[in-house]
Amino acid sequence: MNEGPLGLKSVLVGSLPGSLIVNGELTRYTVEAVFTRRAKTAEVTQIMAESTRERLAREGYPDAYLQVSDRRLLIHETNLEELRDGLATVIAETLAEIAAGVLRDERLAILAAELNDERELQRAKAVLALAESIDFSLPSSYKPQSASSDEHAPQSAEA
């Protein structure tokens, strides 16, 4: 399902404006592309983050921004020529870096959980060992106290 790198397969040609290449103008519109797999929640968050939009601007695409819709990436305020001439590469690199970062974070979280589980196991073993070390048997030197002490003698009901 969410295995393998996150990338894009192709542009959804059917979603493009019908007036393309008719009048020769390079207008801006939304281009839809199909992901290679379903994006994870953390990936979607990062794809649509302001930091991604800022990266696109730094790379020379100040108007473009990304949005995820199910298994599609919506590339807003661009055109096919801009994608062909470099924006597609910037997006591919961005997606690869986001996916690698999310995978790294997931692996770190698993390692942290395993480490925490190991610590908890060691703590539980120490508690068990301590509890098992408690001995409620009477020592061999034990001598019962004499029952002659009035302080400890039970009171009779007749008094």
Side-chain angles (χ1 to χ4, degrees), residues 26 59 61 78-90:
L26 291 178
E59 295 287 340
Y61 307 99
T78 190
N79 55 54
L80 294 177
E81 291 83 0
E82 193 170 63
L83 283 161
R84 178 198 64 209
D85 295 342
L87 179 55
T89 300
V90 172

Side-chain angles (χ1 to χ4, degrees), residues 28-101:
R28 296 195 173 282
Y29 43 88
T30 298
V31 176
E32 295 182 27
V34 181
F35 282 116
T36 54
R37 64 168 171 79
R38 185 174 302 279
K40 298 173 184 176
T41 302
E43 292 169 332
V44 170
T45 300
Q46 290 184 39
I47 290 167
M48 297 194 315
E50 185 62 29
S51 59
T52 299
R53 190 169 188 168
E54 290 168 359
R55 178 181 180 164
L56 295 178
R58 278 193 314 273
E59 295 287 340
Y61 307 99
D63 298 322
Y65 64 97
L66 307 177
Q67 184 179 9
V68 176
S69 177
D70 194 33
R71 296 252 341 222
R72 295 172 292 130
L73 179 67
L74 283 62
I75 309 161
H76 295 282
E77 296 301 320
T78 190
N79 55 54
L80 294 177
E81 291 83 0
E82 193 170 63
L83 283 161
R84 178 198 64 209
D85 295 342
L87 179 55
T89 300
V90 172
I91 291 172
E93 291 170 352
T94 302
L95 294 178
E97 290 170 16
I98 287 171

Side-chain angles (χ1 to χ4, degrees), residues 146-155:
S146 67
S148 65
S149 172
D150 290 331
E151 293 175 17
H152 298 302
Q155 299 286 328

